[in-house]
Amino acid sequence: MSAPERIPPRSLTPPTRLPPPAKEASRLVSPAELLALGELTVRGRVREASNAVLYCTVEYEGHSAPCVYKPVAGERPLWDFPDGTLAQREVAAYEVSEATGWGLVPPTVLRGGPYGQGMCQLWIEVEAAGGEAAGGGADGDGADGDGSMQAGGPELLALVEGDEPGPGWKAVGYAEVGEGRTALLVHADDVRLRRLAVLDAVINNGDRKGGHLLPAAGGRLYAIDHGVTFNADDKLRTLLWGWAGEPLPKDVLEVLARLADQLADGGPLCARLAELITEAEIEALRARVAALLRTGKHPEPSGQWPAIPWPPV
């Protein structure tokens, strides 16, 4: 039985606008607390997703927010990851992101829900050009029709003619655009993307696509869909290869040094990750951080694994 068929179809309606809070909020509640303790109500389904992804609202002590719920029962089996572990990996990615201080992954928790245990993540409204909200996503497509992505103006990804990316851009590689033509795939030379490229190298992200980038209000950038991460073997596949082989910025090296300390045995981050991934995967995580500190450079494709995910957006 396929993963979507294991999720009962009842009550899965198209996403609707959120209801107002049931009562006046009595105190401030953190997003993680709201996600972990709130009442979860399924409002719809993200049908473009490869696994079961449910659009929900969560309500707790007068606070309400939209969120995404990915039940473990809706995960499709993968040959290179243990069954039923993708939700834990999503939470582990959030924990590491928070440890860096970059806040690149939306608040994410592991909790029970209408269809069993799963990952619950705050829904992010994507800000389109001009500063207007343009919907959000989870394991869907956050790109415009031409393959570009905008954060209130500046594009993050684009296809360009010629062999040079141009000022402010980093080249990834050539892409087929139809009728035997190719174009150069580029991404912005953007500090947010650069930090994300480092985070992906740390967590060994095997699926960093353009549709997983969510530009939000206030110049924030969030990244979603981290189920295929933390494998003990090299699985890094990403669109963010533009800095490959370049020296890591000083501030990034400082963050990695602090992260290495937090990953030491007995540390709170290590203890938290031990609840989510295996000991071998934690050891591999430490080794990747150590390698980045030792080389002081962005990693390069190994040549032993496809470097770019498909489809790329």
Side-chain angles (χ1 to χ4, degrees):
M1 182 181 296
S2 67
E5 289 173 341
R6 291 198 295 267
I7 303 299
R10 59 182 174 82
S11 302
L12 297 188
T13 57
T16 58
R17 286 295 176 185
L18 302 180
K23 61 181 179 178
E24 184 178 352
S26 59
R27 66 181 179 90
L28 293 177
V29 173
S30 71
E33 184 180 7
L34 175 61
L35 292 170
L37 301 178
E39 181 179 356
L40 199 61
T41 302
V42 175
R43 303 287 179 181
R45 183 171 182 171
V46 181
R47 297 191 178 277
E48 298 84 0
S50 56
N51 295 300
V53 180
L54 305 180
Y55 176 80
C56 303
T57 56
V58 62
E59 188 172 320
Y60 181 66
E61 293 192 354
H63 296 272
S64 181
C67 62
V68 167
Y69 164 51
K70 297 184 183 181
V72 171
E75 295 179 4
R76 295 180 185 274
L78 299 173
W79 69 269
D80 51 350
F81 284 84
D83 290 351
T85 66
L86 304 190
Q88 291 94 317
R89 296 171 194 278
E90 297 248 25
V91 179
Y94 166 69
E95 296 288 351
V96 173
S97 170
E98 288 298 286
T100 65
W102 292 333
L104 291 167
V105 179
T108 311
V109 303
L110 193 68
R111 59 162 292 170
Y115 304 116
Q117 188 180 61
M119 176 275 272
C120 189
Q121 184 176 82
L122 192 68
W123 178 272
I124 300 298
E125 290 290 343
V126 176
E127 187 177 61
E132 298 181 356
D139 196 21
D141 185 359
D144 296 333
D146 61 357
S148 65
M149 298 192 66
Q150 298 185 340
E155 295 178 352
L156 298 178
L157 302 170
L159 291 168
V160 300
E161 300 288 343
D163 298 324
E164 296 296 330
W169 295 94
K170 290 287 188 177
V172 178
Y174 291 98
E176 296 283 345
V177 294
E179 299 180 353
R181 298 184 300 113
T182 60
L184 186 63
L185 177 62
V186 300
H187 64 67
D189 189 2
D190 183 296
V191 64
R192 302 167 301 171
L193 288 182
R194 189 165 194 173
R195 289 173 175 175
L196 182 58
V198 174
L199 178 65
D200 282 340
V202 167
I203 66 177
N204 196 17
N205 192 350
D207 194 32
R208 172 59 69 219
K209 297 176 180 177
H212 302 161
L213 308 177
L214 303 182
R220 293 292 302 271
L221 177 70
Y222 291 98
I224 59 171
D225 197 20
H226 298 101
V228 287
T229 51
F230 295 102
N231 200 298
D233 297 327
D234 179 20
K235 299 287 185 181
L236 184 59
R237 292 194 301 177
T238 176
L239 288 180
L240 305 179
W241 286 113
W243 298 280
E246 292 187 14
L248 292 166
K250 180 181 178 181
D251 65 302
V252 169
L253 290 170
E254 292 172 351
V255 167
L256 290 173
R258 292 194 296 269
L259 184 60
D261 291 340
Q262 294 179 71
L263 288 170
D265 282 331
L269 179 59
C270 181
R272 176 62 178 134
L273 292 178
E275 301 172 354
L276 301 167
I277 57 177
T278 68
E279 182 177 348
E281 289 166 340
I282 293 174
E283 284 298 326
L285 170 61
R286 292 184 182 125
R288 290 191 296 272
V289 173
L292 289 170
L293 287 168
R294 183 177 64 254
T295 64
K297 295 181 178 181
H298 285 271
E300 299 181 80
S302 66
Q304 300 178 346
W305 179 258
I308 297 175
W310 186 262
V313 177

